[in-house]
Amino acid sequence: MAFKTLASFVSVLAALQVANGALVRRVTCADGSVTSNAACCALFPVIQDLQTNLFDGGECGEEVHESLRLTFHDAIGISPAIASRGQFGGGGADGSIALFEDIETNFHANNGVDEIIDEQRPLIQRHNLTTADFIQLAGAIGVSNCPGAPRLAVFVGRPDATQPAPDLTVPEPFDTVDSILQRFDDAGGFTPAEVVALLGSHTIAAADHVDPSIPGTPFDSTPELFDTQFFIETQLRGTLFPGTGGNQGEVESPLRGELRLQSDSELARDSRTACEWQSFVNNQAKLQSAFAAAFRKMTILGHDESSLIDCSDVVPTPPAPASSAHLPAGLTHNDVEQACASTPFPTLPTDPGPATTVAPVPPS
């Protein structure tokens, strides 16, 4: 009886080991890289090309910022509401912004994306990958160069667009909170919390065209780091420019050399989003997980995830966080404009030294 029990236990253990082996089965690609799906092997040469020839050997610089921006501008260009009226179908993460560059880069909200589209085009032509897949891959790989960033999802198998996305589907800096939240809800059912999480991308962003007189102006004091400073510094007291033209959609930041978008300023203070905004102030782990989840949702807009191949394990692990939450030098807790009614703004240390001056992001 004991022998039979032992034999049965051994059989169960063997079955579990086989099942576990199936769960962790790995594929070794021709170049020695390892992944969970053979279809993902084709991505390793693309990643090497991106890192060497677009991202300057793995920097978190201008091309990373712009590649991440392009993932959003391509994906958000979808509207089930418009499609349901029979006015326009398609859209989403389908590469249309590059495939129909002559149309979509003329949309006001897409001002400036032609530069990164043109930089990415030669790389796309060198590889057997749809434009739709390449744009999203480039954004995820670029972000992996930024200290503190999450490891983002990568899927392949998206077909390329056959028509351009509709205009007026990309939110702009001077849009109201109401219109921004409605647009995200229409595009993919994004909640206000998910909208705030996606705006975490502004931690490594800079503006060239909001105010053309000051190109390369970052949205926080650490544009080379994927950290929570963006959520801190948008909560500092600032002044809205009432004019139009170059200053439309811009709010004066108390930090010299930093630009704040009107939409970011208002989302940080709106009752629907203020507490979620503040929750990221000193919570790097939450920023990483929430941004990764929201990016995953965005990157497959217009597609059924079950029809795509998950190649997320090809993405390099980003460098560890290289900063901690702080108030910029020269400022104190009194400079914070409290907006969350239910929770006090966290107590943060202040950087020593003279008042912070933020350097522009160098051009490519």
Side-chain angles (χ1 to χ4, degrees):
M1 181 66 180
F3 177 77
K4 289 182 178 180
T5 302
L6 178 61
S8 177
F9 174 77
V10 171
S11 297
V12 170
L13 181 61
L16 287 172
Q17 289 174 332
V18 170
N20 186 58
L23 289 174
V24 298
R25 182 179 296 128
R26 312 292 283 169
V27 175
T28 300
C29 307
D31 66 351
S33 301
V34 178
T35 180
S36 60
N37 192 310
C40 304
C41 288
L43 298 183
F44 289 107
V46 187
I47 293 169
Q48 181 62 46
D49 201 359
L50 280 165
Q51 294 286 49
T52 302
N53 297 307
L54 186 63
F55 300 139
D56 298 323
E59 292 186 358
C60 182
E62 174 71 4
E63 289 77 14
V64 169
H65 310 158
E66 292 303 314
S67 292
L68 181 58
R69 181 185 181 218
L70 191 63
T71 66
F72 172 74
H73 282 246
D74 186 43
I76 202 68
I78 184 172
S79 175
I82 293 175
S84 69
R85 297 194 295 268
Q87 296 173 272
F88 205 99
D94 60 4
S96 67
I97 198 166
L99 295 165
F100 296 93
E101 179 185 4
D102 57 333
I103 296 173
E104 292 194 35
T105 57
N106 288 315
F107 297 165
H108 187 269
N110 289 336
N111 187 20
V113 299
D114 56 309
E115 297 170 12
I116 190 62
I117 289 172
D118 293 344
E119 286 189 76
Q120 288 187 2
R121 182 176 294 108
L123 281 74
I124 295 173
Q125 293 172 343
R126 289 199 287 267
H127 301 283
N128 185 26
L129 198 65
T130 66
T131 300
D133 285 344
F134 183 92
I135 287 175
Q136 300 302 320
L137 173 68
I141 298 304
V143 170
S144 76
N145 295 328
C146 302
R151 196 179 187 198
L152 298 178
V154 162
F155 293 90
V156 296
R158 303 173 189 81
D160 275 339
T162 58
Q163 58 183 328
D167 195 4
L168 305 179
T169 52
V170 180
E172 300 210 55
F174 45 80
D175 287 347
T176 66
V177 173
D178 282 345
S179 66
I180 291 171
L181 296 181
Q182 289 167 4
R183 174 81 278 276
F184 274 93
D185 181 50
D186 173 41
F190 288 92
T191 66
E194 289 173 324
V195 173
V196 173
L198 271 179
L199 288 172
S201 62
H202 286 180
T203 186
I204 55 169
D208 289 326
H209 300 281
V210 174
D211 188 339
S213 68
I214 48 172
T217 308
F219 298 150
D220 77 5
S221 57
T222 55
E224 74 287 357
L225 305 177
F226 198 101
D227 60 14
T228 66
Q229 285 305 120
F230 166 71
F231 292 98
I232 297 168
E233 293 166 23
T234 48
Q235 205 66 68
L236 300 173
R237 300 182 189 279
T239 303
L240 173 65
F241 285 104
T244 58
N247 288 335
Q248 188 176 20
E250 179 185 347
V251 176
E252 186 177 37
S253 170
L255 301 186
R256 183 179 299 275
E258 182 176 292
L259 184 149
R260 185 185 305 169
L261 300 182
Q262 177 182 327
S263 53
D264 287 342
S265 181
E266 293 181 357
L267 281 159
R269 290 158 177 79
D270 189 275
S271 60
R272 291 163 290 184
T273 48
C275 289
E276 186 66 18
W277 196 280
Q278 183 178 288
S279 73
F280 291 112
V281 161
N282 60 347
N283 196 334
Q284 178 74 19
K286 179 179 179 180
L287 173 60
Q288 290 174 324
S289 62
F291 182 79
F295 181 89
R296 182 186 183 105
K297 185 172 180 176
M298 182 203 72
T299 198
I300 59 170
L301 284 176
H303 307 281
D304 181 350
E305 184 175 322
S306 65
S307 69
L308 304 177
I309 299 171
D310 188 345
C311 291
S312 302
D313 64 358
V314 306
V315 179
T317 300
S323 65
S324 56
H326 61 273
L327 291 171
L331 299 174
T332 71
H333 192 275
N334 292 332
D335 294 298
V336 174
E337 187 173 6
Q338 174 70 28
C340 175
S342 60
T343 308
F345 195 86
T347 299
L348 301 175
T350 298
D351 264 7
T356 300
T357 298
V358 185
V361 174
S364 56

